[in-house]
Amino acid sequence: RRYPTVELRAETSNGATHVPVPSDSAFLGALLCELGLLQQHVFLEQRDSCTRLSHSCVRSLATAAGELWPVLAFRRSGLIYACLPLVEGSLEPRPPLLTVPGLSQGLALLLGIMDYVSPSRKNEAELNSKIGQLRNLLIQACPLGTPLNTNIRSLSSSFEDIQEMPVDKDQPAWRSCSYKGKPQVNVCITEKVKCMQYGQSDVVDTWQVYGAVNCKCDIEGSAPNVTLSLTLPSNAPPLQDIVVHHCVTSVDPAMLMSTSAEPLHDAVYNGPYKFPFIPPSDSFDLCYYTSQVPVPPILGCYQLVEEGSQIKITVNLKLHESIKNSFEYCEARIPFFNRGPIAQLEYKVSYGQLDLSREKSLLVWVIGQKFPKSLEVSLTGTLSFGTAGKEHPTDYVCTGNTAYVKLYFRIPDFTLTGCYVDQHSVQIFVPGKPKITASRELISSDYYIWNSKGPAPMVYKPLLD
């Protein structure tokens, strides 16, 4: 979808540094080239130069009129999500990314589209149907080029429920319709933990926690006021990098200034974490945060050694004693790249069950819903492989002894930070006694344990004398 009014604003704001948006086909060609999906085996300096190494999804596209920047683009599940945010000002020199509001707005919109589309990626007919509805949904979500509602899934694909003009002048734009019925509030805290464990003395293990507070407020009135508080245990590390939804009416500025980029010190903001807001009509994320927790939930050690034609593996996992030992699911997946199918497998597990994938290139260790009383489990095995075929997985990074175990788990009614919502602290300034439901969960995300007997991609490695 293109917005001519936004393109005109860009031309006016950028002045002599303005680069016009090319045709759809030219834009697509430049984007595919930048993502490495065209001319993959050709060295292009503007794409493959060492100076262009970046983990950001903010890209620059080479067009006939010049470098088009900033382009937000990323790939997920075989689909490409991209948009071109507006920069109100000169593009030379390029402004810092944090000073471009359109980047965060565009990213939120793309993530909303991804959340709407991705559950249907395995059903082609349903996927095509959802993509066909996107144009109508974008008219509601982003009518004039500025995102008003990034929760695409909550929108209606018809125009029946769209209000042309709010009935009440005090009704904010993000409350698209009025609720009638018994007031109720649902709050869910979801924390995701990312981890890289190496098992090597000269490499520091890393882990990160990301939290999101999702709310659904069914409350009557054109502009109801709600106050929600997040509570932490007395010995818990503070919340940092807090980003709030635009419906939040006021917060302590010190709360937003607390950042994980700086070491924790006495001046860091420790709460209370109160969020007064006028809720949208649909489900929304009230805030996002990070925290520097002292330990990862599961400590692991993985050893893979090649002995002739065989591979010997050892995996040890230990659940930290501070973690709730009650999982919805917990499993460890051990892939074997650049090898043939597993021809022979001898193994011993101290707990759980080991399964072999259909293509015989992946071991799935199902630990289940609890660790044993010792909180430790182990797996040892010897494998040999057949001749590799095209259907078996390959990886340019994981060659030889460079290998990993990836953990997948979910712990309901638990957060790694200890963060929770006290139902009695939720204040709603409307008649009647609302029903308040609060839940929380901890989910693994990119939780890797690398082979300690081989090299691995390092997130951080100290300089050695």
Side-chain angles (χ1 to χ4, degrees):
R1 180 173 175 84
R2 300 178 72 124
Y3 295 91
T5 53
V6 179
E7 294 185 40
L8 182 60
R9 287 171 59 193
E11 184 177 355
T12 304
S13 298
N14 302 156
T17 62
H18 177 69
V19 177
V21 182
S23 65
D24 291 353
S25 59
F27 180 88
L28 178 59
L31 179 61
L32 293 177
C33 187
E34 170 67 19
L35 295 176
L37 301 176
L38 285 181
Q39 298 180 318
Q40 301 177 34
H41 306 294
V42 178
F43 177 81
L44 299 176
E45 185 172 356
Q46 72 271 18
R47 180 189 67 193
D48 303 318
S49 169
C50 290
T51 59
R52 287 293 306 278
L53 290 177
S54 173
H55 298 291
S56 171
C57 57
V58 180
R59 303 176 182 272
S60 177
L61 302 188
T63 69
E67 291 284 322
L68 191 63
W69 180 92
V71 177
L72 268 173
F74 57 88
R75 298 167 60 192
R76 288 293 186 276
S77 305
L79 296 176
I80 299 173
Y81 300 85
C83 72
L84 180 60
L86 171 67
V87 178
E88 296 188 284
S90 176
L91 298 175
E92 294 294 342
R94 288 183 179 175
L97 297 182
L98 290 176
T99 65
V100 183
L103 283 172
S104 57
Q105 295 174 351
L107 182 59
L109 182 62
L110 292 181
L111 292 177
I113 294 174
M114 184 181 73
D115 180 61
Y116 168 73
V117 170
S118 59
S120 308
R121 64 182 185 274
K122 294 181 179 179
N123 186 326
E124 187 172 352
E126 186 178 350
L127 177 63
N128 290 335
S129 174
K130 283 195 170 184
I131 291 177
Q133 295 172 356
L134 265 181
R135 183 170 182 83
N136 285 347
L137 296 176
L138 281 175
I139 292 175
Q140 304 173 56
C142 193
L144 297 174
T146 300
L148 300 180
N149 186 353
T150 57
N151 189 354
I152 307 298
R153 187 187 293 185
S154 69
L155 299 174
S156 170
S157 58
S158 68
F159 295 95
E160 296 175 0
D161 299 328
I162 301 178
Q163 294 183 2
E164 293 184 3
M165 187 68 68
V167 177
D168 191 327
K169 62 182 180 65
D170 296 325
Q171 180 175 335
W174 56 84
R175 282 187 67 82
S176 57
C177 57
S178 298
Y179 172 77
K180 298 293 183 182
K182 186 177 180 180
Q184 53 186 354
V185 175
N186 292 297
V187 184
C188 179
I189 302 176
T190 299
E191 287 188 355
K192 294 185 177 181
V193 55
K194 294 186 176 183
C195 192
M196 288 280 184
Q197 298 182 38
Y198 299 99
Q200 299 180 14
S201 59
D202 62 334
V203 184
V204 177
D205 295 342
T206 64
W207 55 92
Q208 299 168 305
V209 179
Y210 303 89
V213 181
N214 183 268
C215 299
K216 179 70 166 69
C217 301
D218 294 326
I219 305 172
E220 292 187 357
S222 58
N225 289 296
V226 180
T227 299
L228 183 146
S229 298
L230 300 182
T231 305
L232 292 176
S234 58
N235 60 343
L239 305 183
Q240 295 177 289
D241 304 318
I242 298 175
V243 179
V244 300
H245 192 272
H246 58 73
C247 71
V248 176
T249 54
S250 65
V251 291
D252 190 322
M255 182 192 304
L256 305 181
M257 296 299 291
S258 180
T259 170
S260 59
E262 300 177 359
L264 292 177
H265 51 80
D266 294 338
V268 73
Y269 188 85
N270 286 293
Y273 303 95
K274 287 191 175 183
F275 301 90
F277 59 96
I278 300 175
S281 307
D282 302 298
S283 174
F284 70 103
D285 288 325
L286 175 67
C287 70
Y288 302 93
Y289 62 85
T290 68
S291 182
Q292 301 181 47
V293 295
V295 292
I298 299 177
L299 297 170
C301 179
Y302 179 35
Q303 295 182 344
L304 178 149
V305 179
E306 293 192 52
E307 295 183 357
S309 60
Q310 291 185 328
I311 283 182
K312 290 189 175 182
I313 63 170
T314 302
V315 184
N316 295 305
L317 302 175
K318 181 179 180 180
L319 180 69
H320 195 271
E321 57 269 16
S322 65
I323 306 303
K324 181 182 178 182
N325 190 10
S326 179
F327 294 78
E328 181 180 307
Y329 58 85
C330 181
E331 66 181 41
R333 298 183 185 180
I334 312 170
F336 296 94
F337 298 106
N338 310 307
R339 307 177 190 273
I342 298 174
Q344 290 185 330
L345 170 63
E346 296 179 2
Y347 69 92
K348 180 181 178 181
V349 291
S350 66
Y351 194 80
Q353 175 183 339
L354 188 69
D355 297 325
L356 179 63
S357 65
R358 181 179 299 178
E359 67 275 10
K360 297 184 177 181
S361 61
L362 175 71
L363 295 181
V364 181
W365 182 12
V366 180
I367 298 169
Q369 296 181 327
K370 276 185 177 294
F371 275 65
K373 289 185 178 180
S374 65
L375 302 182
E376 297 185 35
V377 294
S378 62
L379 160 67
T380 57
T382 303
L383 303 88
S384 59
F385 299 85
T387 305
K390 293 182 179 180
E391 70 278 6
H392 288 90
T394 60
D395 192 281
Y396 295 109
V397 174
C398 295
T399 58
N401 287 354
T402 301
Y404 63 78
V405 174
K406 189 173 183 181
L407 298 186
Y408 296 82
F409 57 83
R410 178 181 180 272
I411 306 179
D413 195 27
F414 180 81
T415 51
L416 198 53
T417 62
C419 182
Y420 67 96
V421 174
D422 184 354
Q423 299 183 26
H424 300 290
S425 71
V426 179
Q427 299 177 341
I428 305 176
F429 302 97
V430 294
K433 186 177 181 181
K435 178 183 178 182
I436 300 172
T437 305
S439 60
R440 54 183 184 163
E441 60 182 357
L442 176 67
I443 302 174
S444 64
S445 172
D446 295 333
Y447 205 106
Y448 292 93
I449 301 170
W450 291 90
N451 176 26
S452 62
K453 297 294 185 180
M458 302 302 179
V459 175
Y460 167 79
K461 189 171 184 178
L463 296 175
L464 301 177
D465 294 333

